[in-house]
Amino acid sequence: MAKVAFLGLGVMGGPMAGHLAKKGHEVTVYNRTAAKAEAWVQANGGARADTPREAARDAEIVFACVGNDEDLRGITLGEDGAFAGMNRGAIFVDHTTASAEVARELAAEAAERGIGFVDAPVSGGQAGAENGVLTVMCGGDAATYAKVEDAIGAYARACRLMGPAGSGQLTKMVNQICIAGLVQGLSEGVHFAKRAGLDVEAVLDVISKGAAGSWQMENRGRTMNEGRFDFGFAVDWMRKDLGILLDEARRNGASLPVSALVDQFYAEVQRMGGNRWDTSSLIARLER
């Protein structure tokens, strides 16, 4: 068991930190809203800190899960940042979905300080975090990754090193590209079945057994048909992720016409007031 810190206690970070505590790690938490950190301590034990630097002091591993590149820089760099409080040989594991560029930037800064760095975005959503069954995609050097793999296992059912710093973020981009196309196709399928007068649940039951089957169909097809969009991963966050991967595509020359189109469809959902609806709400724009 290790002395660890966890920075960021949102819908993903809070449960992830909780799993570390349940495994017996000594956990100190930091959250921008102190009341949330206090509530976490009351529910899980451990301790809370007033700054990332204080939380990271003497921790063997510092985990983070915040909103975006700037949030990540805010908790790592500067006088009160985590890097300033970490000892040489400690490791920073970043679960934020951010750009590969910021992952490489922070990995280089960490290396200058004698700190290890692993970019480790996750897939599985709020339910995956709460149930400890996330998929984690990592970037970093093999020796550093090996030192944190067991700890990540507290909340992951799959964890793999994908390559050097930034590779975890690039793999998460592939994940989001694939999800965007799947959800749009499923939305159109459910919408078409309804307009055709079919029993949508029966349709989903039969086609999910064949080549059209997917996690999205099994877990979101029926709720999309019912117009329920309260499953955690918000449209605002998906648009953030799509913006990151479309920026990366412009840099590396990848052609992503479907992802770019679905990004605009999500923008329409936002204009409908669906900012906090989950990603399956793409069907809502078809049924206005």
Side-chain angles (χ1 to χ4, degrees):
M1 297 301 102
K3 179 177 172 58
V4 305
F6 206 106
L7 315 179
L9 300 173
V11 296
M12 302 295 288
M16 292 160 76
H19 285 296
L20 288 166
K22 288 173 187 174
K23 288 290 185 179
H25 297 289
E26 182 183 344
V27 185
T28 299
V29 297
Y30 164 80
N31 194 74
R32 186 165 48 189
T33 304
K36 186 174 288 187
E38 185 60 41
W40 187 94
V41 170
Q42 290 178 6
N44 298 277
R48 74 169 185 88
D50 291 327
T51 66
R53 178 176 182 165
E54 181 185 337
R57 186 174 295 122
D58 296 327
E60 298 165 60
I61 309 171
V62 178
F63 299 89
C65 189
V66 293
N68 55 38
D69 287 19
E70 288 311 304
D71 292 333
L72 184 55
R73 290 186 179 99
I75 62 165
T76 53
L77 306 176
E79 184 177 341
D80 287 328
F83 285 1
M86 294 174 70
N87 298 329
R88 295 183 68 85
I91 301 171
F92 191 94
V93 177
D94 176 37
H95 291 304
T96 308
T97 295
S99 69
E101 181 180 17
V102 77
R104 298 184 191 109
E105 171 193 327
L106 294 179
E109 176 66 25
E112 289 187 7
R113 297 169 178 260
I115 299 168
F117 184 92
V118 177
D119 57 290
V122 302
S123 180
Q126 183 176 350
E130 291 172 350
N131 294 320
V133 291
L134 293 169
T135 297
V136 187
M137 301 147 267
C138 299
D141 69 78
T144 301
Y145 169 78
K147 293 176 182 177
V148 299
E149 186 177 25
D150 285 348
I152 292 172
Y155 43 79
R157 67 176 172 188
C159 183
R160 182 167 180 173
L161 181 64
M162 306 306 300
S167 298
Q169 298 296 351
L170 293 170
T171 304
K172 178 63 182 286
M173 293 175 206
V174 176
N175 185 79
Q176 302 305 74
I177 290 166
C178 294
I179 287 174
L182 280 171
V183 176
Q184 177 60 24
L186 181 58
S187 298
E188 293 182 15
V190 171
H191 175 66
F192 179 90
K194 292 169 78 169
R195 288 300 181 95
L198 294 168
D199 180 332
V200 176
E201 289 205 11
V203 169
L204 293 172
D205 183 65
V206 70
I207 70 172
S208 67
K209 307 300 191 296
S214 67
W215 186 97
Q216 295 291 341
M217 183 176 290
E218 288 285 349
N219 290 274
R220 296 291 179 265
R222 288 169 178 79
T223 55
M224 289 165 74
N225 181 43
E226 297 164 0
R228 293 197 286 122
F229 311 124
D230 56 351
F231 297 96
F233 190 69
V235 167
D236 282 350
W237 292 112
M238 186 60 162
R239 284 216 73 205
K240 180 208 77 170
D241 292 359
L242 289 169
I244 289 169
L245 67 88
L246 290 169
D247 284 345
E248 186 67 31
R250 281 187 280 272
R251 282 191 287 270
N252 69 22
S255 179
L256 304 179
V258 172
S259 298
L261 184 60
V262 174
D263 178 54
Q264 294 308 302
F265 291 163
Y266 277 123
E268 290 183 34
V269 175
Q270 288 177 316
R271 289 192 288 273
M272 292 169 60
N275 302 67
R276 301 304 303 173
W277 294 348
D278 75 75
T279 52
S280 67
S281 60
L282 276 178
I283 193 172
R285 59 172 292 278
L286 301 175
E287 302 193 334
R288 285 176 290 184

